[in-house]
Amino acid sequence: MTAAVLTRLTEGRRVVWGAAAVGSLGLLATLLGGWAAPREAAHGYLFAFAYWLSLSLGALIILAAFHAARARWPTVLRRSLEIMAASCPLFALLFVPVALAMPHLFPWVALPSSLSGHDLQLLAHKQPYLNVPFFLGRALLYFAVWGAVGVLLFRWSVRQDAEPGITERAVRITLYQRRLASGALPLMVLCLSFASLDWLMSLEPLWQSTVYALTVGCGAVVGALSMVALTAALARGAGQFGALMGPAHFLRLGTLLLGFICLWAYCGFSQFLLVWIASLPEEVTWYRARLDGGWLTVAVALAVGHFGVPFFLLLLRRVKQHVGALAAVGAWLLLMRALDVYWLVWPALSPGTATFHWTSATAWAGVGGWTVAAWVLLARGGYTVPVRDPFLPHSLRVPRS
């Protein structure tokens, strides 16, 4: 084991305080903006909440998948996923503004008088599912599942670091992680699927799609992998996990990223194609709201920026193996992820007219500031890799070319 592996991360105190300060100011500005424009502020906050939560949930899903597949090569980068996944309980607190703003977000909470009799009848059929008590109860279940699994995987990994070596107890902790992740993975994916329907698709409750949740989930994994690629490039100092990753690690990370970009694009195009072929009024309205009045430009930007450009770049082996190049692709995709979530949320408020309200930016900074502060706080004082994981030596020996 190299000395760099055994170095704890002691820096980052200023980052924690700075990120928390930005987060507090951003949330305060959003709250003040909500007095003058409650609906705009509510949708802006939901956009920010959904974006940052998707990074943590994407990390949790891919972390559980690594454990379930008994993958050895990603051991060196696993701690970054564990830290993002362990921040899920924070979002239970950040969900409170969403719950308070439900009347401004979801039409099914307070039915508008403009709805026709047919639309009211359709909503009545969905009322056993779309009602406030059941909605909040499901949210509580989602956060309980995500938080329990994410925190346990992180705590067990940190507890394993305290072992004097690769002992029997250290091996047993790895087995615990694999069993928990394998058993909980289907439940976590189901919770992510239903959460995307509850918090995003029910913004327009008359519309439905069986591919929507899968598209949102693939986007979440793309965001998490992009964040790992960016973090690994920034964490190249002595004792940081990025310095222990060779070209082969980045190659495999880039290949995973390419795969989920393709899956995201496939799901999105399949959904659009099916709706276009059917041409049913209750289905095309969702796309009309997102393709008219300037939203078409955003949709084209997503097709090119979220899929086209990174697809062709990640086909190149040298891009995936190069630390800086892969980090640049990751940073670009994080920007595209924000645009994608905005395109899912905001047209529900402004259908057919592309608009922007400043509370979206303040909410993004507010939720993001507290999320980054939580990530750095969880990382401080610990190792950057699971140093007592029995498969770390194998991961470090992955061929570097």
Side-chain angles (χ1 to χ4, degrees):
M1 197 72 66
T2 65
V5 178
L6 300 175
T7 301
R8 292 180 181 270
L9 182 64
T10 57
E11 303 173 353
R13 184 176 180 180
R14 292 184 178 179
V15 176
V16 172
W17 285 105
V22 171
S24 299
L25 291 174
L27 293 181
L28 178 61
T30 305
L31 177 62
L32 295 176
W35 289 105
R39 293 194 67 207
E40 287 78 1
H43 283 78
Y45 184 86
L46 179 62
F47 148 70
F49 174 83
Y51 173 79
W52 289 102
L53 176 62
S54 71
L55 299 183
S56 292
L57 293 184
L60 180 60
I61 297 299
I62 198 69
L63 172 64
F66 282 155
H67 280 300
R70 300 183 179 183
R72 301 181 179 185
W73 72 267
T75 305
V76 67
L77 58 84
R78 204 183 69 210
R79 181 56 52 82
S80 59
L81 293 172
E82 292 170 345
I83 289 170
M84 285 192 287
S87 67
C88 284
L90 170 67
F91 290 95
L93 180 62
L94 293 173
F95 181 75
V96 173
V98 176
L100 294 176
M102 286 178 63
H104 299 294
L105 289 169
F106 306 109
W108 50 267
V109 175
L111 298 179
S113 58
S114 59
L115 286 179
S116 65
H118 176 67
D119 292 343
L120 286 174
Q121 187 177 10
L122 289 176
L123 282 180
H125 287 299
K126 298 183 179 183
Q127 194 171 17
Y129 183 83
L130 291 179
N131 60 81
V132 175
F134 195 23
F135 178 90
L136 296 178
R138 291 194 303 272
L140 183 62
L141 173 64
Y142 303 152
F143 288 116
V145 172
W146 298 329
V149 177
V151 170
L152 278 176
L153 290 177
F154 175 72
R155 281 192 169 185
W156 283 342
S157 186
V158 171
R159 188 181 304 170
Q160 189 181 51
D161 292 345
E163 293 295 309
I166 303 179
T167 62
E168 181 181 352
R169 179 178 172 81
V171 175
R172 191 161 57 245
I173 289 176
T174 296
L175 292 176
Y176 291 160
Q177 290 175 307
R178 287 183 170 180
R179 289 170 183 171
L180 174 63
S182 301
L185 182 57
L187 181 58
M188 290 190 298
V189 172
L190 279 175
C191 288
L192 174 58
S193 299
F194 279 98
S196 66
L197 304 183
D198 289 352
W199 304 339
L200 297 179
M201 195 167 78
S202 76
L203 291 169
E204 293 147 292
L206 298 177
W207 185 79
Q208 56 190 5
S209 169
T210 56
V211 192
Y212 185 89
L214 182 58
T215 308
V216 173
C218 290
V221 174
V222 169
L225 293 174
S226 300
M227 182 61 73
V228 172
L230 179 61
T231 306
L234 297 175
R236 300 288 289 178
Q240 297 179 333
F241 80 99
L244 303 173
M245 293 175 59
H249 293 103
F250 287 100
L251 175 64
R252 297 182 186 190
L253 181 61
T255 302
L256 272 176
L257 190 55
L258 174 62
F260 276 98
I261 288 172
C262 293
L263 186 56
W264 172 87
Y266 172 78
C267 293
F269 178 75
S270 298
Q271 177 180 276
F272 174 79
L273 183 63
L274 291 173
V275 171
W276 179 73
I277 291 175
S279 191
L280 298 176
E282 60 269 21
E283 293 184 355
V284 300
T285 52
W286 191 86
Y287 276 103
R288 287 293 302 271
R290 287 162 176 79
L291 295 178
D292 293 342
W295 287 117
L296 178 61
T297 303
V298 179
V300 172
L302 283 172
V304 175
H306 198 300
F307 172 69
V309 172
F311 172 79
F312 287 107
L313 287 175
L314 292 176
L315 285 178
L316 302 175
R317 185 183 182 93
R318 61 179 179 271
V319 171
K320 289 180 286 191
Q321 288 183 317
H322 190 276
V323 180
L326 187 60
V329 173
W332 172 257
L333 280 171
L334 288 173
L335 178 63
M336 289 295 103
R337 289 299 311 136
L339 187 62
D340 182 37
V341 177
Y342 189 82
W343 187 74
L344 293 177
V345 172
W346 200 259
L349 173 67
S350 179
T353 305
T355 59
F356 177 81
H357 195 265
W358 60 268
T359 51
S360 297
T362 58
W364 188 89
V367 178
W370 280 106
T371 302
V372 172
W375 290 349
V376 178
L377 189 63
L378 288 169
R380 288 191 73 244
Y383 296 108
T384 60
V385 293
V387 295
R388 299 307 182 199
D389 188 286
F391 299 111
L392 179 61
H394 173 89
S395 180
L396 294 176
R397 289 197 299 269
V398 170
R400 293 184 171 260
S401 63

